[in-house]
Amino acid sequence: MRKHITYILGIVVMFFITNSFSQNRDKDTISTGVINVVKPYTPTISDAFKVKEIPSIDDKETATKKDIKYNIFSFPVASTFTPAKGNAAVVEKAKPVKLFDNYATLGVGTYTTVVGEVYLNHAISRTESVGGYISHHSSQGGIPDLLLDDNFSDTKINVNYATRLKDLSWNVEAGLGQQQYNWYGLPAAMVSAASANDVKGGHSFFDVHFGSDVTFENTYINSGSFLFRRFGDNQGSGENRFVVKSTVDIPINDVEISTDIEFDYLNGSFNRNYSTPDELKYGNFQFGITPKYELKQDDLTLILGVSVFYSKDTEASRSNIYLYPHVTASYRLVNDVLIAYGGVEGGLIQNSYYGFATENPFVSPTLNIMPTDQLYNAYVGLKGKVTSNMSYNISGRFNSDRNKALFINNEITATTQNYSYGNSFGIVYDDVKTVSFAGEINVDVNRNFNLGIKAEYFSYATNGQAEPWNLPDFKGSLFLDYQIDEHWFAGANLFYIGERKDQFYLNDPLIVTTPFTVTLDSYFDANVNLGYHVNDQLSVFAKANNLANEGYQRWQNFPVQSIQFLAGATYKFDF
């Protein structure tokens, strides 16, 4: 019954659907067409299926496995092999170098040269130590064709005390020195041997100094120092200098400004002027402050600052205020391989009798002392490490100095002073601009081989003086240290100084003369040394200086000793 009802309903539904399609077809105005779709025949291969049924074996010859019973008989076997025990490999260690706190050196050489030095240091406790040293270098001279003695000596004594605490390190020292030289540079063409007998060319210097420095940790005051020095000579000259320096951090709006503070007082006198018997006095007081802000960002380091100096000439009662730039920058272009740097700096340079006599011991005790105003010192350069053992530095500079101090040969006068025969040097001041280029290479291989090469070229422009007196146009140097093996060591020091200009002037009222320029030849000086460590405490050495055997003139009319040899020993010890 249900099947008949289903059939009847299906026929009715099909009737309505067919009638509906026919009505729609009568209303459709789009013409009909026939489209034949042709598809190429693409045969396929059906997958193959393995028969997974395991066939049954119906073999009458198949028999069951029999059980086999057996026994293993063990018996010892004679063997002569004995395995050796393994030993851990031993790493070869270098013998630790024994360090000593004290040493003494003594050497003698040609020209009756004596070199000696004793250095002592003693640890009072873990945080305190006391030490000192004595050094001496002298020669009895012997330079040929001189009219005066050329012997010299240089002796220094120094004691110090140091302490290191949790938040500060403190050091105090005191010392004295004595130097003796001769104004032996008499121009032989102008001074006879008879006249030279009346010249007493000895000139001695002495100095006493006392100073201290302290370094703080985790405070706004980073460091501080002071130094007092009394300097004089056997001609009645005397000079006092007192210098105080400090570096502090000044916080401003969460930014710390590093500030250098300097106080420099200088006062001195000479018994006479060069051409008159009038006493010559000088004095200068300086106070300077240099705030600096350091900015670091990635590979760039920039320091922005300015220097302000107040200076007063205590003898002339004149005072001035100076302003200088203090800007430096460095940028790592390629890590440590290539670093570009540059800056513009300036400052007020305090000149002194002690400084001039240290640089040129043949000065006369009649100097005009005043400070040098370095308007700016601009420089750019590249530096870095080619390898872990080799570094380089290339730079260019442009300096502008107002009242730059220049050594000049004193004129020959009719006075009877021991330094008025053209055998001493004075100081003149001029505005000098300097352009220089420098290159440097340093090599350090395993601390056994050190090599340094440096070359500098200079070009000067003066304002009032005819030449940049006694300033070289080129400097070159090479130093070498080589630890050959455990016992032998060697070293060398070579330097080259280019041409310099100086002045010669015969100031005689009976003869009309004018100053003329003298060109001092360039010179090359080579020094080598060789040593042998007898043991941890005793070493012997030999040195040879001025191997080119040139009696060159570092200063006009002052030839140096030619080739020199020296031998000695060094002994290290502890108390």
Side-chain angles (χ1 to χ4, degrees):
M1 183 67 180
R2 291 181 181 176
K3 292 182 180 180
H4 294 292
I5 294 173
T6 303
Y7 290 151
I8 294 171
L9 290 175
I11 294 171
V12 173
V13 172
M14 290 297 295
F15 173 80
F16 281 104
I17 292 175
T18 306
N19 186 39
S20 176
F21 273 102
S22 63
Q23 291 177 0
N24 291 335
R25 186 172 53 211
D26 295 339
K27 295 178 181 179
D28 192 2
T29 59
I30 299 176
S31 60
T32 59
V34 179
I35 299 175
N36 295 323
V37 178
V38 179
K39 181 179 180 181
Y41 173 69
T42 56
T44 60
I45 300 175
S46 61
D47 294 335
F49 300 95
K50 287 185 177 180
V51 178
K52 298 183 178 180
E53 295 181 358
I54 300 175
S56 60
I57 301 174
D58 186 11
D59 191 353
K60 295 180 180 181
E61 300 297 329
T62 303
T64 59
K65 295 181 180 180
K66 295 181 179 181
D67 295 332
I68 300 175
K69 296 180 180 181
Y70 58 92
N71 294 322
I72 298 176
F73 299 97
S74 300
F75 57 91
V77 178
S79 175
T80 59
F81 173 74
T82 303
K85 295 181 179 180
N87 296 324
V90 179
V91 179
E92 294 184 1
K93 297 181 180 180
K95 183 181 179 181
V97 178
K98 172 64 176 176
L99 301 178
F100 297 90
D101 293 332
N102 316 282
Y103 71 86
T105 297
L106 179 63
V108 296
T110 56
Y111 294 94
T112 319
T113 300
V114 177
V115 176
E117 184 173 0
V118 176
Y119 177 84
L120 304 175
N121 186 71
H122 177 65
I124 302 174
S125 65
R126 295 181 60 184
T127 60
E128 294 178 290
S129 64
V130 62
Y133 70 86
I134 301 175
S135 66
H136 175 80
H137 181 199
S138 64
S139 173
Q140 296 305 310
I143 301 174
D145 302 326
L146 294 182
L147 300 176
L148 297 178
D149 294 334
D150 61 308
N151 59 297
F152 70 88
S153 67
D154 184 358
T155 303
K156 295 182 177 65
I157 300 176
N158 181 278
V159 294
N160 63 80
Y161 168 82
T163 181
R164 296 174 299 278
L165 302 178
K166 180 180 180 181
D167 295 327
L168 64 87
S169 299
W170 178 56
N171 179 70
V172 60
E173 67 160 346
L176 57 90
Q178 192 274 340
Q179 299 85 34
Q180 193 277 325
Y181 297 93
N182 282 278
W183 290 304
Y184 64 84
L186 293 176
M190 306 299 299
V191 180
S192 63
S195 300
N197 293 331
D198 299 329
V199 179
K200 301 185 183 303
H203 191 198
S204 299
F205 304 102
F206 66 87
D207 78 273
V208 179
H209 67 272
F210 174 76
S212 177
D213 62 83
V214 60
T215 302
F216 299 94
E217 298 289 342
N218 302 321
T219 63
Y220 288 117
I221 302 177
N222 293 331
S223 62
S225 65
F226 79 88
L227 174 66
F228 172 77
R229 184 185 301 274
R230 170 67 181 181
F231 182 75
D233 62 13
N234 62 344
Q235 304 294 317
S237 309
E239 178 183 83
N240 298 313
R241 187 176 184 182
F242 182 65
V243 181
V244 178
K245 295 182 180 180
S246 179
T247 300
V248 300
D249 291 333
I250 301 177
I252 300 177
N253 294 331
D254 298 330
V255 175
E256 291 187 354
I257 305 298
S258 178
T259 304
D260 297 332
I261 303 173
E262 180 178 350
F263 172 88
D264 195 337
Y265 174 78
L266 180 72
N267 176 268
S269 65
F270 297 103
N271 270 356
R272 57 169 293 143
N273 206 323
Y274 185 75
S275 55
T276 64
D278 299 330
E279 185 181 17
L280 181 60
K281 295 183 178 181
Y282 61 93
N284 190 63
F285 162 76
Q286 295 179 5
F287 176 77
I289 182 171
T290 305
K292 298 172 292 184
Y293 172 68
E294 183 177 9
L295 174 64
K296 289 185 177 182
Q297 185 174 1
D298 297 332
D299 295 326
L300 174 66
T301 300
L302 180 64
I303 297 178
L304 302 175
V306 63
S307 297
V308 181
F309 278 85
Y310 170 79
S311 176
K312 182 176 181 179
D313 188 332
T314 57
E315 293 297 324
S317 299
R318 294 193 304 265
S319 60
N320 291 287
I321 295 179
Y322 301 88
L323 188 66
Y324 303 101
H326 189 97
V327 179
T328 64
S330 65
Y331 184 76
R332 296 179 180 272
L333 298 173
V334 185
N335 296 327
D336 291 337
V337 177
L338 185 62
I339 302 174
Y341 68 93
V344 180
E345 302 178 68
L348 193 61
I349 302 173
Q350 182 80 290
N351 296 314
S352 64
Y353 185 32
Y354 171 78
F356 290 142
T358 301
E359 184 176 356
N360 183 353
F362 308 113
V363 292
S364 63
T366 58
L367 304 180
N368 182 22
I369 308 293
M370 66 174 63
T372 295
D373 178 15
Q374 187 174 78
L375 300 177
Y376 55 84
N377 174 17
Y379 57 90
V380 293
L382 293 172
K383 63 181 180 179
K385 290 185 176 181
V386 180
T387 65
S388 60
N389 299 324
M390 178 182 295
S391 62
Y392 67 93
N393 190 355
I394 303 172
S395 63
R397 293 179 179 270
F398 180 56
N399 295 3
S400 180
D401 297 322
R402 181 184 298 167
N403 293 329
K404 182 178 179 63
L406 304 173
F407 292 103
I408 189 171
N409 187 243
N410 281 327
E411 61 189 36
I412 300 176
T413 64
T415 62
T416 57
Q417 302 300 318
N418 295 318
Y419 47 80
S420 62
Y421 296 88
N423 58 335
S424 66
F425 292 85
I427 294 292
V428 294
Y429 296 88
D430 195 13
D431 298 342
V432 180
K433 294 182 178 180
T434 307
V435 177
S436 63
F437 300 95
E440 182 178 0
I441 296 177
N442 291 289
V443 180
D444 185 358
V445 181
N446 298 328
R447 298 184 179 181
N448 292 329
F449 179 83
N450 295 321
L451 173 66
I453 302 175
K454 185 176 182 180
E456 295 178 277
Y457 169 78
F458 303 91
S459 178
Y460 309 97
T462 58
N463 185 27
Q465 298 294 321
E467 298 287 348
W469 308 118
N470 283 292
L471 294 180
D473 58 357
F474 185 85
K475 288 183 179 181
S477 63
L478 181 149
F479 74 87
L480 169 68
D481 286 324
Y482 181 41
Q483 186 69 42
I484 302 173
D485 58 24
E486 182 181 357
H487 296 283
W488 290 96
F489 60 93
N493 184 9
L494 294 77
F495 58 89
Y496 173 86
I497 302 296
E499 292 184 346
R500 293 133 294 136
K501 306 290 185 179
D502 205 343
Q503 178 179 276
F504 183 84
Y505 182 33
L506 174 60
N507 187 4
D508 192 337
L510 301 179
I511 303 175
V512 180
T513 59
T514 57
F516 62 90
T517 300
V518 176
T519 300
L520 300 179
D521 294 334
S522 59
Y523 62 88
F524 172 77
D525 198 330
N527 311 288
V528 297
N529 66 83
L530 179 66
Y532 182 79
H533 294 297
V534 179
N535 51 45
D536 290 340
Q537 293 183 268
L538 180 63
S539 301
V540 294
F541 62 87
K543 297 183 178 181
N545 299 329
N546 197 3
L547 292 179
N549 198 25
E550 295 181 356
Y552 58 82
Q553 296 186 15
R554 171 65 182 90
W555 305 99
Q556 185 184 178
N557 300 326
F558 284 84
V560 301
Q561 297 176 353
S562 56
I563 189 169
Q564 309 145 45
F565 298 98
L566 183 140
T570 299
Y571 182 74
K572 304 174 186 178
F573 59 95
D574 284 333
F575 290 118

